Amino acid sequence: MATDQDASGAPEEHKHLHVRLSDGRSSVYDLVTEYLQSSGKAPDWFWRAAGRLEGNDADNLEELITSAFEAGAYVSHEHPEDLQFLWVTEDDCERERRNEERGEQREASRKDRSSLSHYA
């Protein structure tokens, strides 16, 4: 039985999904905050709780995960042009990790963290 393969030759069942912002100047924190505001949730509470999250507060953890899931659906519906959906292999992930370790994406990570700092 033949397996479905993509252009790289990797079987589809050996890939997983990565969702990325298509514009390097965009911030996932801003998009999630937009969702929280539009749904009547308190962004300040969400970001403070996420920053303190230690996994031992089941009520807050459930609310955070639910809100994050809802935010993902909101962003994909309201801002589909801002998202890239990439099916990648474990080798692709390993290459990305090595690039991050070498600092090639350090500036982007720093930008994301700094955009969150005003909520702390």
Side-chain angles (χ1 to χ4, degrees):
M1 180 170 155
T3 59
D4 291 334
Q5 294 187 346
D6 71 354
S8 71
E12 288 297 320
E13 65 268 9
H14 295 285
K15 291 188 165 198
H16 59 275
L17 181 64
H18 282 196
V19 179
R20 302 279 189 257
L21 294 174
S22 56
D23 183 351
R25 296 169 300 196
S26 295
S27 168
V28 70
Y29 301 109
D30 293 339
L31 292 170
V32 170
T33 297
E34 179 184 325
Y35 157 73
L36 292 166
Q37 290 170 332
S38 72
S39 67
K41 297 184 179 189
D44 290 344
W45 171 86
F46 181 89
W47 293 119
R48 274 197 232 78
R52 290 190 311 262
L53 189 61
E54 295 178 8
N56 57 2
D57 187 350
D59 291 336
N60 281 343
L61 180 60
E62 182 176 349
E63 177 64 24
L64 288 168
I65 290 171
T66 300
S67 293
F69 183 78
E70 291 170 349
Y74 172 85
V75 171
S76 68
H77 184 266
E78 297 297 320
H79 298 282
E81 70 283 356
D82 290 336
L83 300 176
Q84 290 179 328
F85 298 94
L86 307 169
W87 287 97
V88 298
T89 65
E90 286 301 319
D91 290 338
D92 296 331
C93 287
E94 186 58 33
R95 267 192 300 280
E96 186 176 327
R97 278 191 218 64
R98 283 193 305 268
N99 288 341
E100 287 175 359
E101 287 171 3
R102 280 183 272 173
E104 293 176 13
Q105 296 187 1
R106 188 173 296 147
E107 188 60 36
S109 295
R110 188 176 301 127
K111 176 188 164 243
D112 282 345
R113 284 192 302 276
S114 68
S115 67
L116 177 60
S117 66
H118 71 276
Y119 294 106

